[in-house]
Amino acid sequence: MNINMTLIGQSITFAIFVWFCMKYVWPPIIGALEARKKQIADGLAAGDRGKHELELAAKRASETMLEAKLKAVEIIAQAEKRAIQVIEEAKNDAKAEGDRMIAAARAEIEQESHRARESLRGEVAALVVAGAGKVLRREVDAKAHADLLEVIKNEL
Amino acid sequence: MSAEAHTSTEYIKHHLQNLTYGQLPAGYQRGDGEVLQESIWTLAHSAQEAKDMGFWAINVDTMGFSIGLGVLFLFLFHRAAKGAVAGVPSGLQNFVEWVVEFVDSSVKGSFTARNAMVAPLALTIFIWILLMNVMDLLPIDWLPGLAGMLGLPYMKVVASTDPNATFGMSLSVFALVIYYSIKMKGVGGFLGELTLQPFGKWGMPANLLLEGVNLIAKPVSLALRLFGNMYAGEMIFILIAIMFSGGAVLALTGGVLQWAWAVFHILIITLQAFIFMTLTIVYLDMAHQEHH
């Protein structure tokens, strides 16, 4: 239990150990610890961010749904309006077509009656000529009296 | 433990003597009566010889065990440090990280300045002292008995029961305290701290006395606390070991007592290592602070 050179030897040993520990032991271990701490913190932050994003997405989704619903209602209203319009148009068209057909029919009838009158007029003229021939007992020259006959025909 | 050859006193003394290597002068009469013709370097064969070797002798066992344990500590920690990754740690790395984190939090709790040296210093102190102390838990006759068979006269296994080892550490810490005191506060600031408080400049002698004692007490208490605790623990193990040669009943009692004391001693071992580390941190923190 004497104080001797061991004291100096121990001090030198101690200094060397501390130096070695400071140089080769402490920094890598602390570095690894810090890196792991950062990794964990990053992971937690990423988790939080993910959660936040999920919330945002849910919010966005519900907003989109609401918007879509509104749009659908709008579209339906528009469609209804358009349908009414189409029906209205169709009605108008049909009415116009009907009117047109009626007019055409009327024109046809007019034409037919005119034509009937014409042919009737011709026949009557022929009858008149024949009747007159019989009355006069002589052949009326149809060619010679064409002018006359024409006048009579027009007067009928 | 051969009680037939030794008395209890001799047994105790034998266990308290370091294996000392040093120079004996010419004309020195050794324990066995041999008178040296010329001075020789040799192992001391008695406590008296070890004492007569004076300062220029070395305790081979203290140096051997402390260096061996220190190298073991650095080897294990260095291996863990080399493989240290941020991912899932392996078993050794996990343990080492746990110790490092414990020391780091102790340093962060007590040391307010910035100095990259303090934490590794604290780690070295803690683990090194702990390992040296743990040697106390080995049955005290194992290694000395083995050494005896190899022809070595003495073998003290617990390096921290050698004041050379504890003072070697505490004086190194003291040197750091003074170095950082002067580095941080300047020579004037350091001397001012020693002489100008607590009573102001007119109480300079009283200040110097108080602060001087305060300063010197740091390394002395640091070394003596560890040494005293380990020495006393060792002594109790030795006393218990003496019981083994006192018949079956005493031997059995001794066995139980040794076990009980070893369990209790685990606490002291750890505590002393922790106290040495914490006080080192605190002293260095005080050295870094402008006013305290």
Side-chain angles (χ1 to χ4, degrees):
Chain A
M1 246 187 18
N2 315 300
I3 293 293
N4 56 26
M5 222 161 58
T6 313
L7 181 71
I8 295 165
Q10 286 285 318
S11 302
I12 294 168
T13 311
F14 180 56
I16 292 170
F17 284 165
V18 170
W19 169 80
F20 186 89
C21 182
M22 189 176 149
K23 190 114 180 157
Y24 298 110
V25 174
W26 189 267
I29 294 176
I30 280 293
L33 286 176
E34 290 298 324
R36 185 169 320 131
K37 212 181 270 175
K38 196 175 167 310
Q39 227 172 46
I40 291 170
D42 285 354
L44 288 175
D48 273 353
R49 211 160 44 236
K51 215 169 129 192
H52 188 64
E53 262 162 24
L54 185 69
E55 273 168 17
L56 276 183
K59 211 168 129 191
R60 222 166 24 234
S62 72
E63 267 171 15
T64 310
M65 288 270 276
L66 199 72
E67 208 173 295
K69 262 183 202 160
L70 284 176
K71 214 168 203 165
V73 168
E74 200 179 310
I75 287 170
I76 289 169
Q78 244 171 23
E80 271 169 4
K81 213 163 114 190
R82 178 87 189 121
I84 290 167
Q85 215 177 350
V86 165
I87 289 167
E88 211 56 42
E89 268 171 22
K91 263 186 198 163
N92 287 345
D93 281 358
K95 203 165 169 224
E97 181 73 13
D99 287 352
R100 203 174 51 78
M101 274 167 86
I102 290 167
R106 270 203 192 118
E108 187 108 340
I109 290 164
E110 194 93 1
Q111 227 173 347
E112 281 297 316
S113 73
H114 189 67
R115 201 179 301 135
R117 204 179 291 152
E118 282 301 304
S119 74
L120 207 60
R121 196 179 283 158
E123 268 170 40
V124 170
L127 273 177
V128 168
V129 173
K134 266 175 196 166
V135 170
L136 290 175
R137 304 268 181 152
R138 67 164 174 120
E139 191 114 355
V140 177
D141 188 359
K143 275 178 203 131
H145 300 98
D147 302 341
L148 186 68
L149 285 173
E150 192 61 34
V151 171
I152 295 167
K153 207 194 272 181
N154 280 342
E155 276 170 9
L156 282 171
Chain B
M1 144 187 42
S2 52
E4 64 277 8
H6 294 298
T7 64
S8 294
T9 317
E10 276 170 347
Y11 178 75
I12 294 171
K13 276 187 176 162
H14 183 259
H15 266 288
L16 294 181
Q17 177 56 45
N18 280 107
L19 180 67
T20 309
Y21 182 81
Q23 193 184 30
L24 289 174
Y28 183 82
Q29 190 178 16
R30 300 200 71 166
D32 52 9
E34 182 195 350
V35 177
L36 293 173
Q37 296 304 312
E38 52 192 65
S39 70
I40 53 163
W41 285 88
T42 184
L43 287 169
H45 284 270
S46 68
Q48 187 57 45
E49 279 185 16
K51 200 169 178 178
D52 291 338
M53 282 172 178
F55 184 76
W56 297 105
I58 195 146
N59 293 343
V60 181
D61 47 2
T62 303
M63 289 302 288
F65 279 111
S66 62
I67 290 175
L69 291 168
V71 167
L72 176 74
F73 147 60
L74 289 174
F75 170 73
L76 283 178
F77 275 58
H78 181 55
R79 220 179 63 176
K82 263 198 308 194
V85 284
V88 180
S90 64
L92 175 68
Q93 197 199 335
N94 203 9
F95 171 74
V96 166
E97 280 178 5
W98 173 63
V99 174
V100 165
E101 227 164 16
F102 164 70
V103 172
D104 196 41
S105 65
S106 287
V107 171
K108 280 190 179 131
S110 315
F111 190 77
T112 46
R114 292 189 68 80
N115 190 334
M117 200 209 61
V118 173
L121 174 76
L123 176 70
T124 311
I125 287 176
F126 181 63
I127 301 294
W128 199 28
I129 293 180
L130 187 66
L131 284 175
M132 288 196 282
N133 290 356
V134 159
M135 297 303 283
D136 215 356
L137 296 178
L138 287 177
I140 57 162
D141 278 313
W142 281 11
L143 291 179
L146 202 66
M149 275 182 233
L150 293 173
L152 297 173
Y154 298 104
M155 178 62 61
K156 222 172 150 190
V157 178
V158 191
S160 48
T161 56
D162 183 350
N164 287 303
T166 61
F167 270 105
M169 264 185 291
S170 77
L171 289 176
S172 304
V173 170
F174 186 58
L176 284 174
V177 166
I178 291 185
Y179 170 73
Y180 281 113
S181 289
I182 292 175
K183 192 184 171 195
M184 291 294 147
K185 303 162 199 171
V187 180
F190 177 56
L191 290 180
E193 213 172 65
L194 279 181
T195 51
L196 296 180
Q197 57 175 10
F199 296 127
K201 59 181 172 182
W202 301 114
M204 211 175 266
N207 292 342
L208 188 61
L209 186 69
L210 283 172
E211 289 291 322
V213 167
N214 194 7
L215 190 69
I216 302 300
K218 285 174 185 172
V220 173
S221 67
L222 213 50
L224 286 183
R225 181 183 303 107
L226 177 60
F227 163 71
N229 274 281
M230 296 322 294
Y231 188 78
E234 176 85 340
M235 184 64 97
I236 289 174
F237 275 124
I238 295 171
L239 293 177
I240 290 170
I242 290 173
M243 294 172 76
F244 290 137
S245 53
V249 178
L250 266 182
L252 199 65
T253 319
V256 173
L257 279 176
Q258 186 181 359
W259 179 83
W261 179 242
V263 170
F264 181 63
H265 209 53
I266 293 174
L267 181 71
I268 298 177
I269 283 168
T270 323
L271 194 65
Q272 287 307 318
F274 178 71
I275 288 174
F276 203 113
M277 176 189 82
T278 308
L279 286 179
T280 301
I281 298 169
V282 170
Y283 290 159
L284 281 172
D285 180 51
M286 284 158 75
H288 279 74
Q289 264 160 16
E290 289 291 334
H291 301 287
H292 64 93

